[in-house]
Amino acid sequence: VNQRIVLASLSGFGQDGPLKDRAGYDFMVQGMGGLMSITGERDDLPGGGPQKAGVAIADLMTGMYSTVAILAAIEERHRSGRGQYIDMALLDTQVAWLANQNSNYLIGGAAPQRMGNAHPNVVPYQTFATKDGSVILAIGNDSQFKRFCDAAGIAETGADARYASNALRIANRAACIAAIAPAMEKKTTAEWIAALEPLGVPCGPVHGLDEVFANPQIKHRNMQVNVPHPLTGTVPLVANPIKYSRTPLDYQTPPPLLGEHTTQVLRDLLGKSDADIAALQTAGII
């Protein structure tokens, strides 16, 4: 009917293949797509076992990929004059964004295992217990490791030939972590951040959402917005993270009330008369 239309379908398993007719939900796909096999504590430790992400990440990422796909198809239409059909599946997306874990398996041949908060390709890159909680230590290169060890009072660990490179630290992961962990417990999380940030050693706290929205950086970036609402005066919402330099985003309307736009849609888009709409209301259909 219209060769310029771009149409995207989002489903659990796609429009073809042996699972195409199967119902698919985020939780299922996190398991089937491998995410839960690499998320969670090791099986031999307390609390070990497969773990889903704390949000519906397969759903969210399929939406993000679909947005990119639709925009790319529209851009291609500027050249060809033709639209196309886009087939998006939660399972495909879940598999696609496993990133370095996919590479670890496809190149190395061994399926990655759950490692808690540790990183399979970088050491030390995980959480450590501190005097009053936890801190994330994200050391990305050898010079950072040396500076960290000096600051932590374990210069001998930084000079140990077993830990001279990231590859060696991976090979000697258990011993390296065992050398670091006791030192981390001697200071509070805030003390570690204050000590390491000036040295260019990446580190950070583990925040709850109350702490997230109280964070000065989050406040500065205006990541919470308050939108006028007809029932409550205002409603707090999370801002879109996109920051345009020329056309900043504007938050004009709150989430709609139940059925707020039903009459408008039926009348303006579907051509229903007031009598038609009244009949639907009387019948309890709307």
Side-chain angles (χ1 to χ4, degrees), residues 25-107:
Y25 291 89
D26 178 275
F27 191 5
M28 293 168 50
V29 168
Q30 286 194 36
M32 296 177 68
L35 179 61
M36 291 175 63
S37 76
I38 57 173
T39 303
E41 194 50 87
R42 291 186 347 225
D43 290 342
D44 61 334
L45 294 177
Q51 193 72 47
K52 71 177 183 66
V55 296
I57 190 67
D59 284 350
L60 293 170
M61 289 301 296
T62 302
M64 295 295 289
Y65 270 87
S66 298
T67 300
V68 173
I70 291 167
L71 293 174
I74 291 173
E75 179 62 25
E76 193 277 336
R77 186 176 67 187
H78 294 328
R79 296 190 291 273
S80 69
R82 300 176 63 191
Q84 56 188 305
Y85 179 63
I86 303 170
D87 175 10
M88 298 296 303
L90 270 66
L91 183 60
D92 293 353
T93 302
Q94 174 64 80
V95 172
W97 62 262
L98 290 185
N100 60 300
Q101 297 283 23
N102 280 334
S103 298
N104 289 341
Y105 168 68
L106 292 174
I107 296 172

Side-chain angles (χ1 to χ4, degrees), residues 11-28:
S11 63
F13 301 101
Q15 302 301 308
D16 52 26
L19 299 183
K20 66 182 180 65
D21 296 322
R22 184 174 177 180
Y25 291 89
D26 178 275
F27 191 5
M28 293 168 50

Side-chain angles (χ1 to χ4, degrees), residues 113-133:
Q113 302 298 306
R114 287 181 291 276
M115 301 179 63
N117 289 317
H119 195 292
N121 302 105
V122 187
V123 175
Y125 198 101
Q126 62 182 74
T127 55
F128 286 92
T130 65
K131 195 173 184 178
D132 63 346

Side-chain angles (χ1 to χ4, degrees), residues 209 213 218 222-227 235-241 251:
L209 286 182
F213 285 100
I218 295 296
N222 297 313
M223 284 305 296
Q224 178 182 328
V225 294
N226 295 296
V227 178
V235 59
L237 300 172
V238 179
N240 193 308
Y251 302 91

Side-chain angles (χ1 to χ4, degrees), residues 198-218:
L199 302 178
V201 177
C203 60
V206 180
H207 278 163
L209 286 182
D210 54 339
E211 297 167 302
V212 169
F213 285 100
N215 187 298
Q217 181 68 14
I218 295 296

